[in-house]
Amino acid sequence: MSMSNGLKLFWPSHVCTPYFRRRNGYIVGWQTNPGTACVAAILPDIELNTLQHILSEFCDPGEYPEFACISKVCKVPPRILGALVNEPNNTSLIRRLAGRDSHTYPWMTITLDDGYVPVPISIYYHNKAFDVSTFEILFYRQPNPKRLQFFALDPLVLDISQKPPQDMADPDQKKEITMKNVDKILAWGDQMTGRAHLESYNVLSVLVQINSSYYLEKGIHKILDERRRENMSNLRKWILVLQKFFLDCLEWLVLRPFEWIARAFKKPALAPFRYLLFTCLFAGEVTLYLLNLRFPKFLLNAVALKDLSTAGQQVDLRLQQLHFWPYHYSMLQKRNWANTAETRAYYISFYNSMWLVANDIIIGLAIGSFLTANRYIMSYLLHKMLHEYTVESLQSMMLWFLESPAGLKLNHELGSFLSELFLWLIRLWTACMQAIKPYTPQIIHLIGLSGIFGVSMVISLLSDLLAFMTLHVYCFYMVAARIFNWQLITLYSLFNLFRGKKRNMLRNRIDACDYDLDQLLLGTCLFTLLTFLFPTILIYYITFAVGRVGVIFLQAIMETLLAFFNHFPLFAIMLRIKDPDRLPGGLEFSIFESDYFLKKHHRLWYFFRKLKAWGTLGAGHASSSTRQRHRKRSSSSRGRHQQKTVRFNIPSRPNQEAVDSRNGTYLWMWNSPIPFGAIFFQCLLLWRRLSAHYFSIYYFKCFLYGEPIKPVPKLQYSMLPEKRISLAVEWERFKENLFQTKKKTQ
């Protein structure tokens, strides 16, 4: 193997500090192949044999089982990759730190230059030293798994449903495209250095190693701390023993009495709570069963009871969530943490639903208190608006149709009959509303009290109240639509008879037919009569259809608000704002600036340097011209532009030569923010359902042919299981996760 092809290192940014610049240490990580390595930690002030023994214990499942899974997840065990030296020209130091490990594995020697940037010096392999002519270093910020941070190639999929999305039907092809794009980005350094890319590595394996680097570093430090305690002096041991004795006494005197009291009252206190919780779950199960009962097929077309009311749909949703949460919580506790993306998706989904319900109740209490306090005013405004737009407007339209509306000549007899019929129905409905009007404040008061169940319940009840208050508009529309549809069907049949044709129902086509003279005359007369009556029916149908569409539009707004409160990704948005690394949207690579770590660790020095530069720019003679000022600014801008490629030399040890890092390529590897389309996937799914319903050809045909316009589809929660778990199984799981006491491991 030749080392002249270059070296690729994934380097954590938290080790590029003045502390590691002044010390010698060993580099620990994973060797993916002889030319590619992932660095996890740098351990200074430790012997090589001690570190090797610690790594052997670290990978042993018997000694530290909590860290033994790292080797299985990362495919290869961690090892010592090389040494970090502070004197790159000291050959004896490099050989002393190399030890025997270079006979088996490649041994890297790396130093930090004056800008705290790692620079590979040489690689030892089979007792041969290879100079690193070209190299690539990709910096990454070490993710903290305790804060649910991780790197990922693909955006995090927040949909935990079992059905795969349609755009991910071929994951192998998507993965192949992603890997090709990553290879193109990582080959940027090869193009800059003018050499061919001969070796490849598994980027997914490297990302798993990066995600496990935190546990590897903390685990090694934990073992080192335990060994230091064992090797410390007797005085220090006695001090620790006294500290432990003092803490134990404090615990026995303060904390243990409360623990004993809690244990004594635990069983008596939890027993009623268990029975109460089981009673609530049983009542919820019975309610769900009743809501999902269907009518007979001859009655309401076998519709379920919950589909008759928006409030029934909302109650069904909340009860299903109540039954799903224990199962969801148990899945979150038993989730394999090696599967990082799936675990985070379950975590975000669970807490997002909890946050939504909590905010729903808080907003519901506020709106409910407003409705209860202003129930009389709201009742007056409700009846006033409904009477103005659903009674008076319809009455004026019916009276207008008795004349010549917009200059149209309608059939007077048919128009009078329909207008008188609808006016009588309007007067009948007005009398019913007058009887209900005294009870409207109490109804609004009950709707306000339902705010304790959330604002979604308030909106659902308001939607049902709107549907009840506009029931006459729905009846008028159904009557006009049925008459209009019958007339269209009759005109279509008579038009075929007029042409001498007939529809063949068996073959579903139009065939020629020989009619008798009497049939043709009667069909022609009926066709002429219905044709002249058609404009009158059309005017009435359009009027009530527009009113029905207006009511459906208001219900659609309420359904959209319900979808907003039930599906808004509040928790995911907060995570993206607070910590975007918890919601990775893929990898992003950027050019590394050579003075990045200098600016980070020497901010005060840079601040005074900027002040000095501003003072230099501000100083000058009053008689200097605008051209000279422009020349100074252009020269200073050129200096700042060159600053990106020049190393700053901070005073260091004497007789130490500067390290040249111009042969290497330095890149930043970031987690790109997750796209908003992946966060609002539920909202986009619901919008597709709404748009497919209202902007479809079927909806237009229903309006055109007089078919009944279906209302807004019920927007159900998309992450609920298709089959609900039985109450017995759910209770056993709930007891196992919440009420069983955990056994203490000795």
Side-chain angles (χ1 to χ4, degrees), residues 11-38:
W11 191 272
S13 61
H14 71 279
V15 299
C16 298
T17 60
Y19 174 80
F20 292 100
R21 174 72 175 86
R22 297 187 297 267
R23 283 170 174 79
N24 299 319
Y26 292 101
I27 304 172
V28 179
W30 294 271
Q31 190 84 35
T32 307
N33 56 46
T36 304
C38 176

Side-chain angles (χ1 to χ4, degrees), residues 496-514:
N496 289 332
L497 185 145
F498 183 76
R499 296 188 303 156
K501 295 182 181 296
K502 180 181 67 173
R503 182 174 181 81
N504 191 340
M505 301 298 296
L506 297 178
R507 297 186 177 182
N508 194 19
R509 66 182 185 183
I510 304 297
D511 295 334
C513 181
D514 295 331

Side-chain angles (χ1 to χ4, degrees), residues 208-358:
V208 173
Q209 295 168 4
I210 292 175
N211 294 331
S212 305
S213 62
Y214 177 85
Y215 285 126
L216 177 60
E217 184 178 12
K218 298 303 178 183
I220 293 176
H221 283 295
K222 178 181 178 181
I223 299 174
L224 285 174
D225 292 339
E226 292 178 358
R227 293 202 170 192
R228 287 167 183 168
R229 292 194 193 100
E230 294 176 358
N231 299 329
M232 66 177 54
S233 61
N234 294 330
L235 179 61
R236 184 62 178 171
K237 288 182 179 180
W238 276 105
I239 294 175
L240 292 177
V241 169
L242 292 176
Q243 289 179 354
K244 188 176 183 303
F245 175 76
F246 176 75
L247 293 176
D248 291 341
C249 292
L250 183 63
E251 181 181 359
W252 276 89
L253 293 175
V254 179
L255 300 180
R256 285 301 176 90
F258 291 101
E259 184 178 353
W260 293 336
I261 295 174
R263 287 182 180 179
F265 288 96
K266 182 178 180 180
K267 291 184 179 180
L270 284 181
F273 178 74
R274 292 181 184 180
Y275 289 116
L276 179 62
L277 183 60
F278 182 77
T279 304
C280 294
L281 291 176
F282 179 76
E285 186 71 23
V286 173
T287 307
L288 283 174
Y289 176 77
L290 294 177
L291 288 174
N292 287 274
L293 285 178
R294 294 186 175 274
F295 289 93
K297 198 168 185 180
F298 63 88
L299 184 62
L300 297 177
N301 199 17
V303 69
L305 184 62
K306 65 178 182 179
D307 295 331
L308 296 177
S309 169
T310 308
Q313 284 280 338
Q314 187 63 28
V315 172
D316 179 77
L317 169 63
R318 286 292 182 251
L319 291 178
Q320 287 194 46
Q321 285 181 335
L322 179 64
H323 281 262
F324 182 54
W325 280 341
Y327 169 76
H328 200 169
Y329 179 79
S330 63
M331 291 294 293
L332 187 62
Q333 294 297 318
K334 298 179 181 179
R335 184 60 48 188
N336 182 13
W337 287 95
N339 193 348
T340 308
E342 186 178 0
T343 302
R344 273 49 171 184
Y346 268 86
Y347 172 84
I348 293 171
S349 174
F350 177 74
Y351 285 101
N352 186 72
S353 61
M354 299 290 289
W355 272 67
L356 285 179
V357 172

Side-chain angles (χ1 to χ4, degrees), residues 585-720:
L587 294 181
E588 180 180 351
F589 296 86
S590 60
I591 304 299
F592 172 77
E593 295 184 0
S594 60
D595 55 349
Y596 174 81
F597 296 116
L598 282 174
K599 292 180 180 179
K600 181 178 180 181
H601 300 293
H602 300 281
R603 296 180 181 177
L604 187 61
W605 182 78
Y606 266 86
F607 176 73
F608 284 114
R609 185 175 180 275
K610 288 183 179 179
L611 288 180
K612 183 178 179 181
W614 291 341
T616 304
L617 288 176
H621 297 283
S623 61
S624 59
S625 61
T626 307
R627 186 179 303 173
Q628 291 177 350
R629 293 179 182 176
H630 179 70
R631 188 181 299 113
K632 286 184 180 180
R633 290 174 183 174
S634 62
S635 62
S636 62
S637 63
R638 286 196 299 268
R640 288 194 296 268
H641 179 73
Q642 294 174 357
Q643 182 179 336
K644 296 183 179 180
T645 58
V646 176
R647 301 274 174 210
F648 290 99
N649 294 324
I650 296 179
S652 58
R653 298 180 185 85
N655 301 327
Q656 180 178 343
E657 297 180 3
V659 180
D660 190 6
S661 60
R662 290 176 296 179
N663 294 329
T665 302
Y666 294 87
L667 297 175
W668 269 110
M669 186 172 68
W670 310 91
N671 260 334
S672 61
I674 188 171
F676 283 99
I679 296 179
F680 290 92
F681 72 98
Q682 288 183 346
C683 299
L684 295 177
L685 178 62
L686 297 176
W687 170 250
R688 293 193 192 101
R689 291 178 58 186
L690 286 174
S691 60
H693 178 77
Y694 288 108
F695 302 107
S696 61
I697 300 178
Y698 172 76
Y699 194 84
F700 179 73
K701 287 182 178 179
C702 289
F703 185 83
L704 188 62
Y705 295 130
E707 296 289 340
I709 300 176
K710 294 182 180 180
V712 182
K714 304 303 179 182
L715 305 177
Q716 186 56 276
Y717 193 71
S718 60
M719 287 189 181
L720 293 173

Side-chain angles (χ1 to χ4, degrees), residues 398-433:
M398 296 300 103
L399 295 176
W400 187 42
F401 289 161
L402 291 176
E403 303 173 358
S404 297
L408 297 176
K409 185 64 177 176
L410 303 180
N411 186 274
H412 182 71
E413 287 73 13
L414 180 61
S416 300
F417 170 75
L418 293 177
S419 295
E420 291 295 335
L421 174 63
F422 289 121
L423 285 174
W424 176 76
L425 292 175
I426 290 173
R427 288 192 293 269
L428 181 63
W429 179 256
T430 304
C432 294
M433 287 293 101

Side-chain angles (χ1 to χ4, degrees), residues 154-158 348 572-573 575-577 579-586 588 671-681:
D154 301 323
L156 179 63
V157 180
L158 299 178
I348 293 171
I573 293 176
L575 285 182
R576 192 181 187 276
I577 297 174
D579 191 359
D581 290 336
R582 300 174 72 171
L583 295 175
E588 180 180 351
N671 260 334
S672 61
I674 188 171
F676 283 99
I679 296 179
F680 290 92
F681 72 98

Side-chain angles (χ1 to χ4, degrees), residues 28-182:
V28 179
W30 294 271
Q31 190 84 35
T32 307
N33 56 46
T36 304
C38 176
V39 178
I42 295 178
L43 303 172
D45 304 330
I46 188 174
E47 297 294 333
L48 179 60
N49 296 331
T50 305
L51 183 56
Q52 289 176 347
H53 185 64
I54 289 175
L55 287 177
S56 63
E57 291 181 355
F58 191 84
C59 300
D60 187 6
E63 295 289 338
Y64 298 93
E66 65 271 18
F67 301 122
C69 61
I70 292 181
S71 299
K72 298 179 181 180
V73 173
C74 298
K75 305 293 179 66
V76 291
R79 56 173 294 269
I80 304 175
L81 301 176
L84 180 70
V85 297
N86 58 355
E87 298 179 4
N89 299 319
N90 193 340
T91 309
S92 60
L93 175 64
I94 295 175
R95 291 180 179 178
R96 181 175 60 84
L97 292 175
R100 297 181 179 180
D101 196 62
S102 60
H103 295 283
T104 309
Y105 300 100
W107 182 273
M108 297 178 292
T109 303
I110 301 177
T111 185
L112 296 181
D113 66 357
D114 294 334
Y116 312 123
V117 178
V119 181
I121 300 174
S122 62
I123 297 179
Y124 283 87
Y125 190 66
H126 291 298
N127 291 328
K128 295 181 180 179
F130 298 90
D131 292 332
V132 183
S133 58
T134 55
F135 57 89
E136 295 179 10
I137 294 181
L138 289 89
F139 293 98
Y140 69 91
R141 291 182 178 176
Q142 189 180 65
N144 189 351
K146 294 183 178 180
R147 299 180 60 186
L148 303 181
Q149 299 174 353
F150 67 103
F151 280 90
L153 275 178
D154 301 323
L156 179 63
V157 180
L158 299 178
D159 190 1
I160 62 173
S161 59
Q162 299 296 330
K163 298 179 181 179
Q166 296 181 357
D167 55 349
M168 296 182 63
D170 193 359
D172 295 334
Q173 183 179 2
K174 183 177 180 181
K175 179 179 177 181
E176 182 181 356
I177 295 174
T178 304
M179 294 297 296
K180 287 182 179 179
N181 294 332
V182 172

